[in-house]
Amino acid sequence: MNESLKIGGLALQSPVWLAPMAGYTDLPFRVGIRSLGGLGLAFTEMLSPETLLHGRPSSVNSLVATGPEDQPLGYQVYGKDPDLVARAAKWVEARGAALVDINMGCPQKQLSAKGRGAGLLRTPDLAVRIAQRVRESVRIPLTVKLRLGWDNTETAAELAVRFEELGVDAVTVHGRTRAQGFSGTVNLDAIRKVVESVKRIPVIANGDVVSVATAREMFERTKCAGIMLGREPLKNPWLIRDIARDLRGEAPLPPPAIVERVEFMTQHFERMLAFSGEAVAVIRFRKWIRLYLRGIPIERALLARLMQITTAADWRREVPRALGGA
Ligand SMILES: Cc1cc2nc3c(=O)[nH]c(=O)nc-3n(C[C@H](O)[C@H](O)[C@H](O)COP(=O)(O)O)c2cc1C
């Protein structure tokens, strides 16, 4: 397996990617996880053309915020109107995106039932037209992220062949169908069929990588060129570093001590504070407290109190202590 990876003209230092995740993979989190090392590519959350082209500038700026410490960054767009998606892709290219990705995998009903996201797996010709229009409109590398199929496991392989022919530079496959949602297991054989169906473009495998062992299994069983991790790094941001070390044949590092975890979380909070302002940051960070608390025993009453904190001063006084780091 490759330790590095090239997507179109973009050389990545690692084949381990962080998945786009709406509400989570924003600038404050991405900067933190990148600082741990091992990450080849991260993404914005999925962005609608309507928002990018006509949204309130402050909301748009927050969705696409990035900086030198957050590179390379892929911007993910979604939609079902080829011209609109292409305009959105041009917009993100002008904004400095290293790569643009088209979402053809989101199973959420509001999107997929209306033919967007994974809904495009039911209209493969339209999916191809969208990718084609985007390809004609931008010069930066273009990738597509998709599920195996709407309710079958073959569409991804068929589409990947057509995408490759029209100049898509890589595809990412979440090894579940739209019908599965997040249930059941990831179908590694079906991802492998996608890998075998294309001639030369890299296939990035996604779904249920939760450890160094499952990362190895994903590479070995699917023969993918890279892997993308979503949910697990939210709970264990060190996992991407650990997998990248394993790929390079380096010895595993000990898991981070509690003080290190608390320090990482605190820096994440401080970045979110600077990014969103106090009122929003303390509320938005509540879901992260739960994630960072994983594996740390804490009384229910204390957790309830942490969830009611409304000022940065209280946060700094109470949260690190509750996690055992101060
Ligand atoms: C909260 C949440 C938000 C997500 N948002 C997006 C998104 O914006 N775009 C996308 O392509 N996939 C999105 N996904 C799917 C993930 O990118 C990924 O494909 C999926 O979680 C499977 O990978 P995992 O098993 O490593 O989590 C989201 C998933 C979750 C749990």
Side-chain angles (χ1 to χ4, degrees):
M1 92 200 51
N2 251 337
E3 280 166 41
S4 58
L5 180 59
K6 213 163 172 211
I7 307 297
L10 180 67
L12 303 175
Q13 287 184 354
S14 158
V16 190
W17 296 7
L18 178 67
M21 276 176 292
Y24 290 90
T25 52
D26 55 11
L27 178 64
F29 180 64
R30 293 193 308 259
V31 168
I33 198 162
R34 285 184 198 273
S35 73
L36 301 173
L39 181 58
L41 185 65
F43 291 85
T44 65
E45 64 178 71
M46 56 184 174
L47 306 161
S48 83
E50 291 80 1
T51 302
L52 291 181
L53 302 171
H54 308 295
R56 266 194 308 138
S58 58
S59 323
V60 176
N61 287 338
S62 147
L63 283 169
V64 300
T66 183
E69 72 288 27
D70 181 37
Q71 301 302 321
L73 180 66
Y75 290 51
Q76 190 188 59
V77 296
Y78 72 95
K80 67 170 181 180
D81 177 325
D83 288 329
L84 260 186
V85 180
R87 279 177 61 201
K90 265 184 109 62
W91 189 98
V92 303
E93 179 178 52
R95 189 84 181 201
L99 173 154
V100 62
D101 181 77
I102 309 173
N103 180 324
M104 299 195 186
C106 180
Q108 273 177 29
K109 242 200 172 125
Q110 311 94 285
L111 256 75
S112 63
K114 292 188 186 137
R116 301 168 180 212
L120 286 167
L121 301 171
R122 282 204 287 193
T123 53
D125 290 342
L126 177 58
V128 168
R129 277 214 306 285
I130 291 171
Q132 180 89 53
R133 283 291 296 120
V134 173
R135 183 65 293 171
E136 289 160 3
S137 305
V138 297
R139 299 171 66 99
I140 50 175
L142 166 63
T143 58
V144 178
K145 178 166 179 280
L146 64 177
R147 284 188 174 229
L148 293 174
W150 178 259
D151 52 10
N152 67 71
T153 57
E154 285 92 47
T155 307
E158 291 159 14
L159 274 174
V161 171
R162 298 175 71 184
F163 289 152
E164 178 170 39
E165 279 166 7
L166 67 84
V168 168
D169 296 297
V171 293
T172 302
V173 186
H174 177 186
R176 288 187 171 87
T177 65
R178 192 281 326 171
Q180 262 184 286
F182 279 88
S183 69
T185 50
V186 167
N187 186 335
L188 302 188
D189 294 334
I191 298 179
R192 183 166 180 150
K193 289 214 173 95
V194 181
V195 174
E196 287 168 350
S197 69
V198 295
K199 292 200 186 86
R200 48 164 193 89
I201 58 169
V203 173
I204 312 304
N206 169 239
D208 292 0
V209 173
V210 295
S211 60
V212 169
T214 46
R216 275 191 190 186
E217 188 187 7
M218 188 63 111
F219 276 108
E220 281 160 16
R221 295 234 347 244
T222 68
K223 305 292 175 204
C224 62
I227 56 173
M228 175 189 272
L229 279 73
R231 290 162 294 171
E232 192 64 21
L234 303 179
K235 301 179 224 158
N236 174 14
W238 286 266
L239 177 58
I240 286 180
R241 171 201 75 179
D242 291 345
I243 292 171
R245 285 182 66 86
D246 186 60
L247 292 177
R248 293 195 300 263
E250 293 169 12
L253 292 174
I258 296 261
V259 278
E260 208 180 325
R261 287 166 66 173
V262 171
E263 178 59 22
F264 184 85
M265 177 192 66
T266 304
Q267 287 179 7
H268 183 181
F269 174 71
E270 296 295 340
R271 278 191 304 274
M272 189 168 300
L273 205 57
F275 185 68
S276 310
E278 184 173 32
V280 173
V282 283
I283 308 284
R284 230 183 242 175
F285 209 82
R286 288 177 182 167
K287 65 187 175 199
W288 288 104
I289 294 178
R290 288 179 185 279
L291 288 163
Y292 284 118
L293 272 169
R294 195 178 74 138
I296 300 176
I298 180 166
E299 283 170 26
R300 206 184 286 182
L302 177 55
L303 180 61
R305 205 169 76 230
L306 298 184
M307 291 299 132
Q308 282 161 12
I309 286 176
T310 53
T311 69
D314 285 349
W315 194 101
R316 292 185 185 116
R317 193 172 46 250
E318 299 223 19
V319 178
R321 196 179 332 136
L323 266 73

